[in-house]
């Protein structure tokens, strides 16, 4: 039951290949979470085709929003504000959500709050966990981004490190394609790795400079491609499950080691993860073990809130809204929006 002090945010997300809408109460309680995935449409092409993504968003956005309100049992009039992802992401895809949100805000006379997609991923940690709050160190690993952050408050982030080339999810997707596992690669490699030997092939762990919290995954990706080419030239069979497990082990060793080091450096006892790659079974397991060993608590959203969804956007929108942040009807999509930028 809602009281008049409750704040209901309608979140809208369309930055890549998921059209999503959600109603979230007080930034934490998910009343509905509708996600229309385009994975099946893009699989044929081996990756997201931006033009097709935009068209699919247009086809789906109205019913996705209607379903989110219906499932939440909430009328448009009861919504306090509309939060929408305006970057980073594919510009044509972002524009569909932004235009829809602006039209709704104008027609309903409701406040509009533009949300940074990466900030949304981080806020997935607040969903359904009333206890979790900043400060903490967060590892944000998705298809387009890899960041190590010190989260000072709900909307103040210090970037400790970021990828210098491929994002972690991008490396997963490229390696999966090379071993013929298709798109999206993350979940396929996650499953295949369970059947393989993670010590079968020694792939490089790139830690960069001693003091750096940055990541680099392109060397690892090249090492996998070189391994595959060499085997092909020698006419030798490869074991895709061993390649998947060994590649994944190399990625996870670096992600977990740098996260633990960052938490020690900042002197915090709380660690969080976010983004599509944080739904990875082995990454969750290893990070949990290392956090336990070091006396850190670990917060990771349920897998459905790790990959793209609108509940995380509504949650981030809530924290912006209570801070007084409002966007004008001139809000535009910003495909290269940086974290902390408005
Ligand atoms: O956060 P997300 O849904 O979208 C972006 O903002 O990019 O992340 C998608 C990425 C893709 O690269 C996908 O392969 C990866 O997350 N991913 C995974 C898993 N599930 C999704 N990577 C590893 N293991 C998984 N289980
Ligand atoms: Zn995302």
């Amino acid at each position: 039951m809602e009281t008049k002090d409750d704040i209901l945010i309608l979140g809208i997300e369309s930055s890549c290949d998921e059209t999503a809408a959600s109603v979230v109460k007080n930034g934490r309680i998910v009343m509905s979470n509708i996600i229309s995935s385009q994975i099946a449409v893009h699989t044929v092409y081996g990756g997201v085709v931006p033009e097709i993504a935009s068209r699919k968003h247009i086809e789906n956005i109205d019913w996705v929003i209607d379903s989110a309100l219906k499932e939440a049992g909430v009328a448009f009039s009861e919504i306090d504000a509309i939060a929408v992802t305006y970057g980073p992401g594919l510009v044509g895809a972002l524009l569909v959500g932004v235009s829809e949100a602006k039209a709704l805000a104008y027609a309903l006379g409701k406040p509009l709050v533009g949300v940074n997609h990466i900030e949304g991923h981080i806020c997935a940690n607040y969903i359904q966990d009333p206890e979790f709050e900043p400060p903490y160190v967060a590892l944000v690993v998705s298809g387009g981004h890899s960041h190590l952050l010190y989260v000072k408050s709900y909307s103040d982030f210090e970037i400790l490190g970021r990828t210098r080339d491929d994002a972690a999810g991008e490396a997963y997707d490229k390696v999966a394609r090379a071993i013929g596992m298709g798109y999206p690669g993350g979940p396929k490699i996650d499953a295949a790795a369970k059947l393989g030997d993670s010590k079968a092939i020694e792939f490089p762990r790139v830690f960069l400079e001693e003091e750096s919290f940055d990541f680099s995954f392109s060397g690892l990706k090249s090492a996998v491609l070189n391994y595959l080419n060499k085997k092909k030239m020698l006419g030798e069979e490869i074991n895709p499950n061993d390649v998947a497990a060994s590649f994944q082990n190399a990625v996870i060793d670096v992600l977990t080691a740098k996260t633990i080091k960052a938490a020690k450096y900042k002197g915090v006892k709380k660690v969080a993860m976010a983004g599509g790659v944080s739904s990875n079974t082995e990454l969750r397991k290893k990070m949990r073990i290392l956090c336990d060993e070091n006396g850190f608590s670990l917060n990771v959203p349920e897998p459905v809130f790790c990959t793209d969804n609108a509940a995380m956007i509504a949650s981030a929108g809530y924290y912006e809204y209570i801070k007084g942040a409002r966007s004008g009807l001139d809000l535009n999509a910003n495909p290269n929006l940086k974290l902390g930028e408005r």
Side-chain angles (χ1 to χ4, degrees):
M1 209 37 225
E2 284 74 65
T3 69
K4 72 174 188 11
D5 296 330
D6 285 331
I7 292 176
L8 300 182
I9 307 281
L10 168 65
I12 299 173
E13 155 65 37
S14 71
S15 67
C16 190
D17 58 346
E18 259 93 32
T19 320
S22 165
V23 178
V24 172
K25 187 175 7 178
N26 302 331
R28 304 258 178 180
I29 300 157
V30 179
M31 299 176 72
S32 63
N33 185 36
I34 308 294
I35 303 169
S36 166
S37 173
Q38 304 176 6
I39 285 178
V41 185
H42 298 287
T43 298
V44 207
Y45 305 98
V48 178
V49 183
E51 179 59 25
I52 298 179
S54 312
R55 286 165 190 247
K56 286 284 156 197
H57 285 309
I58 293 172
E59 279 171 34
N60 292 321
I61 200 151
D62 282 331
W63 73 257
V64 165
I65 292 173
D66 283 345
S67 309
L69 290 168
K70 205 164 160 203
E71 192 174 297
V74 165
F76 270 129
S77 58
E78 294 169 275
I79 295 288
D80 292 282
I82 296 160
V84 64
T85 306
Y86 72 106
L90 302 169
V91 68
L94 288 164
L95 274 171
V96 178
V98 169
S99 310
E100 179 87 7
K102 288 202 286 192
L104 283 174
Y106 178 66
L108 300 166
K110 302 279 183 187
L112 177 70
V113 182
V115 169
N116 181 309
H117 183 79
I118 309 171
E119 197 176 317
H121 273 301
I122 298 163
C123 289
N125 281 288
Y126 306 129
I127 289 172
Q128 286 166 330
D129 183 351
E131 306 298 321
F132 191 68
E133 50 186 32
Y136 56 89
V137 158
L139 172 71
V140 186
V141 269
S142 70
H145 308 274
S146 299
H147 281 97
L148 246 178
L149 305 168
Y150 175 52
V151 182
K152 292 186 213 170
S153 74
Y154 288 100
S155 51
D156 193 4
F157 314 96
E158 178 187 336
I159 299 175
L160 302 171
R162 55 156 67 92
T163 183
R164 292 189 188 168
D165 38 59
D166 292 353
E170 202 178 342
Y172 264 93
D173 293 336
K174 287 177 178 168
V175 166
R177 193 180 309 169
I179 46 180
M181 288 183 178
Y183 170 85
K188 301 254 168 71
I189 290 196
D190 193 348
K194 293 193 171 85
L195 309 170
D197 174 5
S198 64
K199 298 198 171 60
I201 311 147
E202 191 56 42
F203 288 131
R205 272 86 173 138
V206 180
F207 285 96
L208 301 167
E209 306 80 30
E210 172 68 24
E211 71 287 357
S212 176
F213 290 114
D214 281 352
F215 301 108
S216 168
F217 295 110
S218 70
L220 170 59
K221 179 193 66 190
S222 302
V224 176
L225 298 180
N226 289 342
Y227 170 85
L228 295 174
N229 283 336
K230 201 166 141 203
K231 287 285 181 185
K232 199 171 165 190
M233 270 155 47
L234 294 170
E236 291 175 15
E237 287 280 298
I238 61 142
N239 180 333
N241 296 337
D242 284 352
V243 179
S246 302
F247 156 77
Q248 173 164 284
N249 206 21
V251 174
I252 294 177
D253 273 357
V254 177
L255 292 178
T256 52
K258 293 225 174 200
T259 306
I260 297 294
K261 199 173 154 196
K264 286 182 183 163
Y265 170 73
K266 292 309 290 186
V268 294
K269 291 278 173 211
K270 288 195 279 189
V271 172
M273 291 204 287
V277 182
S278 65
S279 63
N280 184 271
T281 336
E282 206 48 44
L283 174 60
R284 296 164 84 96
K285 217 186 280 172
K286 176 132 195 220
M287 193 71 93
R288 172 92 42 212
I289 293 170
L290 289 180
C291 282
D292 286 350
E293 277 174 19
N294 286 281
F296 301 152
S297 68
L298 174 65
N299 203 294
V300 200
E302 273 177 51
V304 69
F305 296 122
C306 288
T307 43
D308 287 350
N309 65 88
M312 67 185 199
I313 302 305
S315 176
Y318 168 82
Y319 289 104
E320 292 291 344
Y321 175 82
I322 58 171
K323 224 176 60 182
R326 302 289 182 269
S327 302
L329 290 175
D330 58 350
L331 179 70
N332 201 357
N334 182 350
N336 300 314
L337 185 67
K338 303 280 177 295
L339 190 68
E341 192 187 338
R342 281 202 67 82

